[in-house]
Amino acid sequence: MNYRVVNRLFTLAVFSMPPIVGSATSVVWHGGALWCVFEVLSGRRRLSPDTAMRWVALLMLVYVMANVVSFLVNEPSLAMVYKLLPLVAFLLFPFSYSIWTISDREEVAHALVFGAATASFGALILALVQYKYIGMRAEGGAGNALVFADVVCLAGLTCLAGALILDSRRPFLLLLAFVAAFAAVLLSGSRSVWGVMMALTLLLLFICRTRLMVLLRGRLLALAGIAILIVVLTSGLIMERFEALWQNMDKLTEGGDYNTSVGLRVALWKIGFQLFAEDPLFGHGMQNVSTLIREGIEQNFGLEVGFTHFHNGFLTILVEGGIVAGLAVIAMFALITVIAVRSLAKAGDRLERLGGAVLLILAAVYAGGGSVNLIFGHDILDTVFMIFLIIGLFLARGTSRLADAGAPLPSR
């Protein structure tokens, strides 16, 4: 066994898991990443020289340091140090990337898309059971409908990108996996992710329109039939979710009722902007946000509810870590998007284009879906961000270090 084999299997595993087993994905990735830290710090392996990875890692380090400083200047205590634990994932990123690149890019690309296909089909099975037989919004193994929708959206769009870009022997299977993921996202009832997934689907179809026409030959009727079936079966849920949205909007605008999903989001945003204005430089610390939200909602809106974030990932980052943390994250998303666009423009390298598609999907889902939910601070979301970012960067701009693959893994 060597890292070329292990990394291919690890890629297949971690991309299959998020919608199905949820936090177990985080345990597996963090365990692997800690081993990567040991490999690099012990001198057995070297950090990757890839420039794109190093710029992203630098921005992550700025984000981490801004949050540590914010913690220290906002009445720190040993009892609250655990609030900083989500930052560990960002420190592990360059080490995980460096060992993961001891791989064949082609093998990793195929493991990526078929892992995503497994996740998509598994997500649909769980979603159907939860929605039809338990009568709940689908949340799969994630334990949260919005988190489930985000990770399934990423998996499904990766399958679509794989079918359109990768010269796969099973493109129809990947298209079916995309349809399964889309159905699972619908069953989650997460309206914001519906919009993001539909917009990204249209964008990918436009970018890869030539390949699309080839794939649809002889399959158009089958895919259209499946799509119509999904819309018919989920039409009740779609109408129900939009009716609830209009009702919440009416209650907020006409009666000033903030005790609805829409009203609470507006209340959270108002409190968040007030808190950011109070201390834009250092923020209020990751340890204080839950308390500040609870107190702000009770004092300003007379409601007794608790939240850990502001249902806007960027606003949460600004309040927790201040303007430096916020700018670091915005710069990171901008850099990822630039790399994605440049990679997609290179028609000659399909692996580079696939990496660009994965990065574009990642940035859009986290920035778009995160604008009404979380971006970072949830173990599943943090882990999924890391694995998609690592493989996207590796395919789009990475250097395969197969010269290191022949060295056997040390016995444990």
Side-chain angles (χ1 to χ4, degrees):
M1 292 285 283
N2 57 48
Y3 272 120
R4 175 175 179 171
V5 176
V6 170
N7 286 342
R8 183 178 72 246
L9 297 176
F10 191 73
T11 302
L12 180 63
V14 294
F15 280 92
S16 301
M17 296 170 66
I20 303 171
V21 294
S23 293
T25 313
S26 181
V27 174
V28 171
W29 179 76
H30 277 82
L34 288 171
W35 177 257
C36 296
V37 172
F38 171 74
E39 284 285 88
V40 173
L41 295 185
S42 67
R44 298 199 242 191
R45 298 291 188 270
R46 296 171 291 109
L47 278 176
S48 169
D50 292 343
T51 303
M53 180 278 288
R54 296 197 172 201
W55 276 110
V56 172
L58 177 62
L59 291 170
M60 287 184 178
L61 182 60
V62 172
Y63 168 70
V64 170
M65 294 307 299
N67 276 286
V68 171
V69 170
S70 179
F71 178 85
L72 293 174
V73 301
N74 283 286
E75 300 179 2
S77 68
L78 287 176
M80 299 300 287
V81 169
Y82 75 94
K83 291 285 188 178
L84 298 176
L85 283 177
L87 300 175
V88 171
F90 299 92
L91 298 177
L92 295 176
F93 163 74
F95 300 97
S96 182
Y97 178 94
S98 296
I99 304 302
W100 218 325
T101 58
I102 307 175
S103 309
D104 179 83
R105 292 170 74 241
E106 181 91 25
E107 292 174 352
V108 166
H110 283 279
L112 160 70
V113 294
F114 287 110
T118 302
S120 298
F121 288 123
L124 179 58
I125 293 170
L126 287 175
L128 286 171
V129 171
Q130 291 173 336
Y131 179 74
K132 185 172 179 60
Y133 297 104
I134 304 179
M136 59 184 283
R137 285 177 63 184
E139 56 185 39
N144 180 292
L146 277 167
V147 173
F148 175 71
D150 279 339
V151 298
V152 178
C153 178
L154 285 164
L157 290 170
T158 299
C159 292
L160 179 61
L164 294 172
I165 297 172
L166 199 61
D167 189 16
S168 170
R169 290 168 292 179
R170 301 180 181 87
F172 189 62
L173 175 65
L174 294 178
L175 291 176
L176 287 178
F178 163 74
V179 173
F182 191 79
V185 170
L186 287 177
L187 292 174
S188 75
S190 303
R191 293 174 297 239
S192 59
V193 186
W194 293 353
V196 171
M197 192 169 191
M198 285 188 284
L200 281 171
T201 297
L202 293 175
L203 180 59
L204 284 173
L205 293 178
F206 175 76
I207 292 172
C208 305
R209 54 194 179 277
T210 303
R211 171 71 171 163
L212 175 65
M213 301 310 297
V214 174
L215 286 178
L216 289 181
R217 285 182 195 146
R219 302 185 178 102
L220 183 58
L221 288 178
L223 289 172
I226 294 171
I228 292 170
L229 178 62
I230 290 173
V231 171
V232 170
L233 292 177
T234 59
S235 59
L237 172 64
I238 294 171
M239 292 301 298
E240 177 186 324
R241 293 295 292 158
F242 277 107
E243 285 176 3
L245 176 63
W246 308 140
Q247 290 172 3
N248 289 348
M249 291 293 291
D250 288 341
K251 289 180 180 179
L252 177 63
T253 56
E254 296 178 7
D257 184 0
Y258 286 88
N259 197 19
T260 65
S261 64
V262 173
L264 285 171
R265 277 182 169 83
V266 174
L268 287 166
W269 296 340
K270 288 182 177 181
I271 294 167
F273 282 115
Q274 290 172 2
L275 290 170
F276 174 63
E278 289 176 9
D279 195 343
L281 182 58
F282 293 111
H284 294 269
M286 300 178 82
Q287 73 274 26
N288 295 319
V289 168
S290 296
T291 301
L292 291 171
I293 289 175
R294 185 179 66 253
E295 292 175 351
I297 288 183
E298 185 174 356
Q299 293 170 6
N300 292 282
F301 303 97
L303 300 173
E304 294 184 3
V305 292
F307 290 92
T308 59
H309 58 93
F310 294 95
H311 271 280
N312 182 303
F314 293 107
L315 183 57
T316 302
I317 290 166
L318 288 169
V319 174
E320 287 179 342
I323 190 68
V324 175
L327 289 176
V329 170
I330 292 170
M332 181 169 61
F333 276 101
L335 176 59
I336 293 169
T337 303
V338 169
I339 294 172
V341 172
R342 289 181 176 177
S343 300
L344 281 166
K346 294 189 177 181
D349 190 334
R350 56 192 174 80
L351 295 180
E352 190 169 337
R353 294 191 79 214
L354 178 62
V358 169
L359 292 177
L360 183 64
I361 291 165
L362 178 68
V365 170
Y366 271 74
S371 63
V372 291
N373 192 32
L374 261 177
I375 293 177
F376 301 135
H378 187 286
D379 67 317
I380 300 173
L381 290 178
D382 291 350
T383 298
V384 169
F385 182 82
M386 293 301 161
I387 63 176
F388 273 82
L389 178 59
I390 289 169
I391 296 302
L393 282 177
F394 177 41
L395 295 177
R397 282 288 184 272
T399 303
S400 178
R401 298 190 296 151
L402 280 177
D404 295 335
L409 289 173
S411 58
R412 304 188 186 186

